[in-house]
Amino acid sequence: MAESGRGPRERMVFSAAQLIRRDGVTATGMRDVAAHAGAPRGSLQHYFPGGKEQLVNEAVDWAGRYAGKRIERFLAGLGDRATPSGLFAAMVRQWTDEYQAAGFGAGCPVAAATVDCASAGTSTRDAVADAFAAWRCPLAGALTGMGVPSARADALATLMISALEGAILLARAEQDVRPLATVAGELGPLLDSAVRP
């Protein structure tokens, strides 16, 4: 999840997403975000008058849009031979590659915000739901483009995201990429069987 050439506000949103994916919402402080972003602490109130909740919501929104945009990049990498299993394998490979290169210290910021904030009566719950939708909708569209009936594409997109998020949690707990490989191998044939000529 790279960031470059952005202003202080965008850097802080990106930094919040990175810290949330590593430490969770509760352990991510506003000062930590400003320091990570290389932004003056005084700019937090200026850019985020709604405080930490606003910053978390924007970080979650950024993460959902990022995940949704990755679908297009994965498809481009697959070319004309794109299949549902190939797309899911590419989604899984992003995490496998990260964990093999950098260790198991970080997960999905949207999932972290869900764990920390889903029971709270805040706008973050809505932001999390919107972020998952921003990921699920392009994924369902990609499946439809590969020949999965539209009536089934949304359900399979939900299954893919759920399986990936669960495998990320297991991989972090076990400090092993095996759960990621398992979901890719087991779910792939089911996904491909949904394609209709």
Side-chain angles (χ1 to χ4, degrees):
M1 295 186 180
E3 179 271 345
S4 62
R6 296 207 159 78
R9 185 180 202 293
E10 292 79 14
R11 288 196 318 268
M12 285 188 280
V13 169
F14 174 82
S15 290
Q18 301 313 302
L19 293 173
I20 290 167
R21 70 189 293 258
R22 187 187 72 199
D23 303 326
V25 172
T26 304
T28 298
M30 296 286 278
R31 289 181 179 169
D32 299 325
V33 171
H36 188 273
R41 281 193 313 206
S43 62
L44 287 165
Q45 183 62 31
H46 172 72
Y47 291 119
F48 305 101
K52 183 175 180 179
E53 185 174 335
Q54 180 186 356
L55 178 58
V56 168
N57 293 353
E58 291 191 32
V60 165
D61 174 67
W62 175 88
R65 287 183 289 109
Y66 174 86
K69 290 175 186 172
R70 291 290 298 169
I71 300 303
E72 186 176 317
R73 288 188 218 138
F74 293 142
L75 286 174
L78 295 171
D80 295 338
R81 295 182 169 214
T83 62
S85 65
L87 175 56
F88 188 60
M91 292 167 62
V92 169
R93 193 168 34 256
Q94 172 188 359
W95 287 94
T96 302
D97 291 349
E98 176 179 333
Y99 288 153
Q100 288 175 333
F104 296 86
C108 173
V110 181
T114 302
V115 170
D116 284 356
C117 302
S119 64
T122 67
S123 61
T124 302
R125 184 175 46 230
D126 293 333
V128 165
D130 291 345
F132 277 122
W135 186 8
R136 187 181 64 250
C137 290
L139 182 53
L143 293 173
T144 302
M146 288 182 240
V148 174
S150 58
R152 186 133 187 247
D154 189 65
L156 288 179
T158 298
L159 178 62
M160 291 165 76
I161 292 169
S162 300
L164 178 58
E165 289 289 359
I168 290 167
L169 287 173
L170 288 170
R172 290 184 75 192
E174 297 173 7
Q175 299 286 290
D176 191 336
V177 296
R178 184 192 53 78
L180 292 161
T182 299
V183 295
E186 293 295 326
L187 197 55
L190 172 73
L191 295 171
D192 287 343
S193 72
V195 173
R196 297 291 175 257

